[in-house]
Amino acid sequence: VQLQASGGGMVQIGGSLRLSCAASGPSFSRYAVGWFRQAPGKEREFVAAISRGGRPTSYADSVKDRFLIARDDAKKTVYLKMNILTPEDTAIYYCAAKHTILSVAAGTRPTDYDLWGQGTLVTVSS
């Protein structure tokens, strides 16, 4: 499976964006998927994750109630809908995947994943 993240761009404070993580290859439905982000000079941090089967999902406290992760296995795509964006959300966003046997909770650490997309830049400005 290979991953392609897209949907980034420049948006004003309070705006919204939807990121997509499109996968190629078989059996994508058997993968847990996470979104991470990395701002300049900072470490990569967890944003959201979705398990095989779509549940459970998990979110970083900083994005809870503003971001929504969802998956469409027929389209082999995971989405991250980001609302009420702030300058603190400015970062390169990466999607990552890990094949899982069961619908266990998806990991929240970068080391929980072994497949990564190339990243898409989100810039939130006033």
Side-chain angles (χ1 to χ4, degrees), residues 4-116:
Q4 177 86 25
S6 63
M10 184 173 290
V11 63
Q12 292 187 327
I13 294 173
S16 299
L17 279 176
R18 188 180 76 163
L19 305 184
S20 297
C21 178
S24 60
S27 305
F28 177 68
S29 62
R30 299 178 182 178
Y31 286 76
V33 176
W35 283 97
F36 294 79
R37 67 187 181 187
Q38 188 164 18
K42 295 187 177 181
E43 293 187 352
R44 192 167 297 190
E45 65 174 3
F46 170 73
V47 177
I50 187 165
S51 303
R52 169 178 172 169
R55 292 181 181 181
T57 58
S58 58
Y59 297 89
D61 288 342
S62 59
V63 307
K64 200 172 294 184
D65 299 326
R66 297 190 298 124
F67 290 12
L68 180 66
I69 189 170
R71 66 188 298 157
D72 184 338
D73 288 335
K75 295 183 178 179
K76 296 185 179 180
T77 302
V78 170
Y79 303 97
L80 183 70
K81 182 64 187 301
M82 307 186 297
N83 301 309
I84 317 175
L85 286 162
T86 73
E88 288 69 38
D89 296 316
T90 294
I92 298 174
Y93 283 71
Y94 299 89
C95 61
K98 172 70 174 180
H99 185 274
T100 58
I101 298 175
L102 302 172
S103 296
V104 298
T108 61
R109 302 169 299 178
T111 52
D112 291 329
Y113 298 86
D114 49 18
L115 300 171
W116 289 83

